[in-house]
Amino acid sequence: MRVLVTGGAGFLGSHLCDLLIAHDHTVVCLDDLSTGWRTNIEHLATSAKFSLIEASVLEPVDIYGRFDGVIHLASPASPSAYLDRPIFTLRTGSEGTRNVLEFAVAKSARFILASTSEVYGEPLIHPQPEEYWGNVNPAGPRSVYDEAKRYAEALTTAYRTYCGADTGILRIFNTYGPRMRPDDGRVVSSFIDQALNSRPLTVFGDGTQTRSLCYVDDLVHGILAMLDSSEPGPINLGNPVELSVVEIAELVLELSGSSSRIELHPLPQDDPTRRRPDITRARDRLGWNPQVSVREGIARTVEWHVKEVEKLAS
Ligand code: NAD
Ligand code: UDP
């Protein structure tokens, strides 16, 4: 297949590009490098199966030739990134998604949307199945991301229903692993960066809020399974093992051998108190099941951060 990956220089996107190329597909990565890093994909630069187009999805997408698949990941994803650029985030989720959908329709390519567990907001049903419509504060600070993704789901559904587009919606739960920037602001990369630099681990609130952490290798296999299927979704992708934020901090301290302490900071507004995916659909319809335990995944991620620090020092 020839596949367009928007946001392909980011954390998830770069792992997805690796996996697609390992499966002998040809990849065009389109990224504005706003939160992505060129170094995430520099090892692919010599591959005849890979090319990078530095551009924004806010402009119409026009790339010559046949495409079989389009995987739309381009969007700020970390709360600190989307709160820094709220209007850009809304525009990327809305206008940007429309531009990418138009491209997929023009190429008769299957379109996969990277939506998010954030569409469930502060969930009143636990764990979250896809049938749940969510509980998002439309005027809260996180709405610039949550509502952009909800709109992107609506747009994707409309293109499928009214324009005959072949689409699939994935709702991705918290994913972590190598290549998430140390300054990205999300929980695992922040805690590991703090632990390795002997700084206190900044737990927000009392740390009893929960998240379910999926290792990136597992996640990108789920995206590929969705591309290979004809499922419309939405389908949740995530690892259902649920941990409190304090438990995540303690695990990072143990696996990094750090003696940093835990420091409590105010809880950001509308920070969801719990989150755990029901992945019955992903298991039944995609044959997907996460394989990497949280201990193993965090240990691998710590190892990557240590190497990055060594690289910077040399
Ligand atoms: P990331 O910030 O590492 O990657 C996002 C990529 O999109 C970056 O390379 C960035 O430069 C690019 N980008 C942003 N806006 C763009 C624009 N207007 N035009 C072109 N490129 C643009 O984040 P990530 O964690 O890899 O997330 C990738 C996707 O997966 C996002 O859509 C995110 O919402 C979704 N997602 C991620 C998670 C997670 O836990 N990692 C969870 C749920 C959903
Ligand atoms: N969090 C934290 N300290 C940090 C970063 C995040 O306690 O330095 C908490 C955050 O308040 C949330 C959870 O960890 O409850 C996951 O945050 P993240 O930003 O990774 O993703 P979210 O699920 O909120 O989008």
Side-chain angles (χ1 to χ4, degrees), residues 55-74:
S56 174
V57 295
L58 294 180
E59 301 299 327
V61 182
D62 183 15
I63 311 168
Y64 178 75
R66 169 185 70 88
F67 278 84
D68 310 289
V70 173
I71 304 179
H72 180 40
L73 302 172

Side-chain angles (χ1 to χ4, degrees), residues 130 235-241 276-290:
E130 293 84 350
I235 296 186
N236 289 337
L237 287 183
N239 187 328
V241 176
R276 176 181 173 190
D278 177 333
I279 59 165
T280 310
R281 269 196 200 174
R283 285 191 178 120
D284 292 351
R285 301 187 190 178
L286 302 178
W288 179 82
N289 210 18

Side-chain angles (χ1 to χ4, degrees), residues 22 58 97 113 207 209 261 296:
L58 294 180
T97 299
L113 174 70
Q209 71 273 31
R261 62 193 170 83
E296 175 61 27

Side-chain angles (χ1 to χ4, degrees), residues 9-189:
F11 160 58
L12 288 184
S14 61
H15 287 275
L16 182 65
C17 291
D18 287 348
L19 184 66
L20 287 164
I21 287 169
H23 281 250
D24 222 23
H25 301 308
T26 299
V27 175
V28 177
C29 161
L30 186 149
D31 201 299
D32 69 354
L33 301 178
S34 50
T35 57
W37 276 359
R38 206 178 282 278
T39 50
N40 286 342
I41 45 167
E42 68 186 355
H43 60 287
L44 297 173
T46 53
S47 167
K49 293 194 163 290
F50 180 80
S51 55
L52 169 67
I53 298 175
E54 199 177 324
S56 174
V57 295
L58 294 180
E59 301 299 327
V61 182
D62 183 15
I63 311 168
Y64 178 75
R66 169 185 70 88
F67 278 84
D68 310 289
V70 173
I71 304 179
H72 180 40
L73 302 172
S75 166
S78 155
S80 64
Y82 63 69
L83 293 173
D84 269 357
R85 301 185 77 191
I87 308 300
F88 173 81
T89 303
L90 282 160
R91 289 188 63 210
T92 296
S94 53
E95 296 160 47
T97 299
R98 175 138 195 244
N99 285 331
V100 182
L101 271 162
E102 284 289 332
F103 175 78
V105 168
K107 300 289 180 181
S108 303
R110 177 156 166 79
F111 172 91
I112 305 298
L113 174 70
S115 183
T116 170
S117 54
E118 293 284 328
V119 300
Y120 300 121
E122 172 61 34
L124 303 177
I125 292 183
H126 193 73
Q128 293 78 57
E130 293 84 350
E131 294 82 7
Y132 179 46
W133 293 351
N135 179 33
V136 170
N137 173 1
R142 295 172 78 102
S143 66
V144 297
Y145 180 70
D146 303 5
E147 296 291 13
K149 290 288 185 178
R150 288 174 70 95
Y151 177 83
E153 287 201 13
L155 197 61
T156 302
T157 305
Y159 268 74
R160 181 178 187 87
T161 310
Y162 304 109
C163 309
D166 175 8
T167 62
I169 297 172
L170 288 172
R171 292 185 181 149
I172 301 170
F173 284 63
N174 298 66
T175 303
Y176 69 98
R179 298 189 197 150
M180 188 179 270
R181 299 159 56 139
D183 64 351
D184 175 279
R186 281 178 278 186
V187 66
V188 174
S189 52

Side-chain angles (χ1 to χ4, degrees), residues 79 118 142 174 186-187 202-204 209 211 245 271 275:
E118 293 284 328
R142 295 172 78 102
N174 298 66
R186 281 178 278 186
V187 66
T202 53
V203 166
F204 299 161
Q209 71 273 31
R211 292 296 186 271
V245 167
D271 195 295
R275 205 180 281 140

